[in-house]
């Protein structure tokens, strides 16, 4: 029997196209860049530190700086002749009790994790809307479950979840929006923490490459089909459920 005709590639064969990745200089963002390249796409990186980025276009940007983000996204879009997707993987944390974390550091977490996500998506919309592009925001298991000594991070990631859901409703039928909720990963994210806030057993941290593969799966869906939200973690993840 001849299979029915289809007007799109299968997800496994889909090229993700031109993908802007914030935080693409390390960790999950770097894994996404590699996954996009492996799938035949063209990544472009926005990161505060691009010293380890090679072979792809990169812009040194503090995503908490809205004007700088707008300029970089505009240049990236013009350089590539458009954008097909955005992945907002930039993120920081400042652990500690509310009264112990300096206000400027607490607010910087929101500036990077939440406002950086919003600024990047807003700046990219003029490129994404004409091509029915996709947005993949990176939340956290601490965006759906709160813990002590993480008020800034939880506030920012709960905000990313709410923003993403509202954006999906607002842009329904015009762009795709996926919220990725990863558990802890084996990255440099924990390096600058006080020892008491570092994972004591990294065997229960997921590989960022696995999360990147999930992101590519979301990007590979045919028009009209959406992965709206995906939680991905190590099978022994401690912050979920």
């Amino acid at each position: 029997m001849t299979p029915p005709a289809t007007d799109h590639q299968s997800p496994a064969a889909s090229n993700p196209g031109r993908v802007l990745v914030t935080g693409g200089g390390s960790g999950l963002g770097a894994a996404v860049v590699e996954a996009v390249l492996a799938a035949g796409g063209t990544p472009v990186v926005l990161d505060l530190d691009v010293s380890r980025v090679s072979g792809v276009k990169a812009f040194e940007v503090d995503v908490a700086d809205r004007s700088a983000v707008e300029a970089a996204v505009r240049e990236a879009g013009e350089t590539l002749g458009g954008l097909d997707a955005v992945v907002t993987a930039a993120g920081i944390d400042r652990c500690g009790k509310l009264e112990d974390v300096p206000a400027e550091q607490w607010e910087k977490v929101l500036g990077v994790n939440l406002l950086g996500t919003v600024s990047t998506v807003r700046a990219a919309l003029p490129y994404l809307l004409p091509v029915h592009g996709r947005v993949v925001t990176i939340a956290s298991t601490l965006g759906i479950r709160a813990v002590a000594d993480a008020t800034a991070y939880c506030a920012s990631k709960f905000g990313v979840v709410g923003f993403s859901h509202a954006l999906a409703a607002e842009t329904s039928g015009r762009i795709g929006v996926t919220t990725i909720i990863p558990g802890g990963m084996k990255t440099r994210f924990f390096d600058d923490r006080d020892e008491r806030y570092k994972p004591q057993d990294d065997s229960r941290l997921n590989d960022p490459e696995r999360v990147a593969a999930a992101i590519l799966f979301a990007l590979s869906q045919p028009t009209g089909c959406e992965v709206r939200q995906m939680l991905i973690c190590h099978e022994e993840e401690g912050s979920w459920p």
Side-chain angles (χ1 to χ4, degrees):
M1 181 180 295
T2 302
T6 179
D7 59 359
H8 58 74
Q9 293 178 303
S10 66
S14 295
N15 183 319
R18 302 155 296 183
V19 184
L20 187 147
V21 184
T22 68
S26 63
L28 175 60
V32 172
V33 168
E34 291 302 316
V36 170
L37 285 170
T42 304
V44 58
V45 171
L46 269 61
D47 203 312
L48 189 61
D49 180 3
V50 297
S51 61
R52 291 181 296 276
V53 179
S54 62
V56 302
K57 186 71 174 177
F59 297 88
E60 186 174 314
V61 178
D62 179 355
V63 296
D65 183 339
R66 176 169 48 82
S67 296
V69 168
E70 291 171 349
V73 171
R74 187 182 311 115
E75 185 174 351
E78 292 173 357
T79 299
L80 299 181
L83 295 171
D84 298 296
V86 169
V87 179
T88 59
I92 63 170
D93 193 8
R94 294 294 180 268
C95 300
K97 297 186 183 303
L98 179 61
E99 64 267 30
D100 295 335
V101 178
E104 63 274 13
Q105 293 186 23
W106 200 99
E107 292 168 5
K108 183 68 171 182
V109 174
L110 263 70
V112 172
N113 297 358
L114 176 56
L115 299 182
T117 294
V118 175
S119 295
T120 302
V121 173
R122 183 192 288 117
L125 279 178
Y127 301 99
L128 299 176
L129 286 168
V131 297
H132 202 296
R134 294 186 183 275
V135 169
V136 177
T137 60
I138 308 302
S140 167
T141 48
L142 296 192
I144 56 176
R145 177 193 180 207
V147 297
D149 294 3
T151 55
Y153 192 75
C154 286
S156 69
K157 292 301 187 176
F158 269 79
V160 169
V161 171
F163 165 72
S164 304
H165 289 188
L167 180 69
E170 182 177 307
T171 60
S172 177
R174 296 190 293 157
I175 64 171
V177 179
T178 299
T179 310
I180 297 291
I181 302 177
M185 291 174 281
K186 295 178 182 178
T187 70
R188 297 172 57 237
F189 183 74
F190 304 107
D191 286 1
D192 63 353
R193 290 188 179 191
D194 185 281
E195 197 64 32
R196 60 183 164 154
Y197 295 125
K198 291 183 179 180
Q200 300 305 304
D201 179 9
D202 67 3
S203 69
R204 292 190 291 176
L205 296 177
N206 209 2
D207 291 325
E209 291 79 9
R210 294 172 178 170
V211 181
I215 291 168
L216 264 291
F217 173 75
L219 292 177
S220 73
Q221 298 306 300
T223 301
C225 180
E226 291 297 329
V227 178
R228 286 302 193 191
Q229 183 167 295
M230 184 187 304
L231 192 154
I232 178 167
C233 61
H234 188 276
E235 64 178 354
E236 297 180 78
E237 170 66 45
S239 64
W240 183 88

